[in-house]
Amino acid sequence: MTRLGFRYTPAPLVKGTAARAIPFGLESLTPSDPGRIIKEAEPAEKPQSKAFGRALYGDRDRRISVRGRLYEVTAPATGCQAQAETRLLGDGRKRHMRLRLLLGEGEKASREQLAQDREFVAANERWRQCVRKDGVKAKNPVQLLQQLPRNVDVRKHSATRADVRCKRRTGYLPVAYATLAVAQQSWLDKHAHVLAGWRELQRRQDAAARATEAARD
């Protein structure tokens, strides 16, 4: 981007958002805990010119695409973003997209499998009955988060306080994560080539990134 006369600065992360995926909603109301989320609008990137967008994303009519079992995703075929990804992945860029898509589908399948797990269903029902005593009507912790208004501080909201309190009382999180781990491992065992391919490309990216850093030094 610099060579083309532009300055590219990534959009900042939302303050208070989790640093990792939280599949079962909040885990704590402690500010320093990654389970804390302040639900607010994501900051928009600073508006840029069409020339900036073309330099970063290339020709809008030239894209690469891959299809999984459930979805199809596309990415720029030209532009600085595509060049950067190609530098890291070489000829494995489309494969990387497909493997990422398949892993996402595997995660979705693992989550859906929990609906058939008796232990998880029982834990979720205990949680639901518990929060209902505090006037919270939600089928599960994720739905509770989705119902929250924007710009809410979860440390003080009655629903989120009830959520976290009931998770502790009912032992919800240990059951949820244990059953999810079993479902995920089951999916990975059936799709071992997906994980092996992903790890291979991750190593390739790491090696390319280290080589780039060494060249700068």
Side-chain angles (χ1 to χ4, degrees):
M1 293 294 285
T2 301
R3 289 196 299 270
L4 294 175
F6 299 101
R7 179 179 180 182
Y8 175 73
T9 304
L13 295 175
V14 180
K15 182 180 180 181
T17 54
R20 57 182 172 80
I22 305 179
F24 304 109
L26 296 173
E27 297 180 3
S28 170
L29 301 179
T30 305
S32 60
D33 190 281
R36 172 174 175 260
I37 300 177
I38 295 180
K39 187 177 181 181
E40 58 186 41
E42 295 183 1
E45 289 192 22
K46 182 179 179 180
Q48 301 287 352
S49 66
K50 291 183 179 180
F52 180 94
R54 187 176 181 84
L56 182 58
Y57 301 116
D59 188 341
R60 290 186 298 178
D61 295 327
R62 297 180 60 188
R63 300 183 68 82
I64 59 175
S65 64
V66 296
R67 180 180 291 277
R69 185 174 63 86
L70 302 174
Y71 309 106
E72 180 179 8
V73 296
T74 67
T78 61
C80 291
Q81 176 179 301
Q83 291 179 23
E85 292 179 358
T86 300
R87 185 170 187 175
L88 290 175
L89 292 163
D91 61 358
R93 190 168 174 233
K94 289 189 68 172
R95 185 182 176 211
H96 184 268
M97 290 173 60
R98 177 169 174 75
L99 291 174
R100 183 174 182 179
L101 182 60
L102 291 175
L103 286 171
E105 291 180 352
E107 178 64 21
K108 183 175 184 296
S110 299
R111 291 291 308 279
E112 291 174 348
Q113 188 175 328
L114 296 188
Q116 310 300 322
D117 186 279
R118 292 182 180 180
E119 189 175 3
F120 176 77
V121 171
N124 196 79
E125 180 61 21
R126 291 195 299 271
W127 173 90
R128 191 182 69 83
Q129 293 292 345
C130 181
V131 296
R132 191 172 184 177
K133 294 177 182 178
D134 289 289
V136 178
K137 296 181 180 180
K139 295 180 179 179
N140 54 61
V142 173
Q143 186 183 78
L144 182 150
L145 276 184
Q146 294 171 342
Q147 293 174 350
L148 292 177
R150 291 192 180 278
N151 301 315
V152 64
D153 188 338
V154 298
R155 297 170 300 177
K156 301 176 182 179
H157 197 280
S158 59
T160 54
R161 293 174 69 87
D163 174 24
V164 172
R165 182 170 60 253
C166 285
K167 281 174 177 167
R168 291 172 179 168
R169 287 179 179 176
T170 63
Y172 178 89
L173 289 175
V175 172
Y177 276 112
T179 51
L180 179 59
V182 171
Q184 290 173 333
Q185 189 60 57
S186 176
W187 188 91
L188 289 172
D189 289 343
K190 296 175 183 177
H191 304 82
H193 67 285
V194 175
L195 182 58
W198 178 260
R199 287 174 171 169
E200 175 194 338
L201 291 179
Q202 291 295 96
R203 290 192 293 269
R204 183 187 299 187
Q205 287 186 95
D206 182 67
R210 290 177 183 276
T212 300
E213 286 296 320
R216 288 179 180 176
D217 296 339

